[in-house]
Amino acid sequence: MITPREERFSIFITELLNASPACNAAEALALLAKTLNAVEDRYSGVPYQPEQWQSDGRMYPPQRDSRRTATGFDGLHRYRSRGHNTWIDANGAIRITQLNGTVILDKPGADGRKVRS
């Protein structure tokens, strides 16, 4: 049975919140990708085919080509997705916001600090 996208996203957020925090940006991006791919493998019914990202209905983790550097914040990067932005800080903190700025997730890095803003 295929789980609706909104419910899969909610499961992803819960699992990401419950995961151990990352120590740096590379770990944070890997954690995000591992968690999202695991949720999609279990609940989407769609095989992992990143070349089909626009049409297959599966959610995919942020890609390097969507990365932007946050002006004035060395080590902070924003990844633009269809309906939200994912911010990953040098300390491993992750923040996901809707395009209107509403915070969906604000996970601190292993040092306890959240994404700088």
Side-chain angles (χ1 to χ4, degrees), residues 7-80:
E7 191 173 335
R8 296 191 325 260
F9 188 74
S10 180
I11 293 167
F12 159 68
I13 293 297
T14 299
E15 290 190 10
L16 191 57
L17 277 171
N18 290 331
S20 296
C23 293
N24 58 52
E27 282 185 16
L29 193 57
L31 174 64
L32 194 146
K34 176 183 159 193
T35 305
L36 182 58
N37 286 330
V39 168
E40 289 298 270
D41 287 348
R42 284 194 314 263
Y43 299 107
S44 75
V46 178
Y48 180 79
Q49 298 174 326
E51 66 280 358
Q52 300 296 320
W53 70 271
Q54 291 181 310
S55 61
D56 68 3
R58 182 183 172 113
M59 293 183 289
Y60 290 94
Q63 300 299 307
R64 187 151 179 78
D65 64 349
S66 68
R67 185 173 102 168
R68 307 293 181 266
T69 300
T71 305
F73 295 97
D74 193 35
L76 176 61
H77 299 284
R78 176 178 63 92
Y79 294 82
R80 175 69 165 83

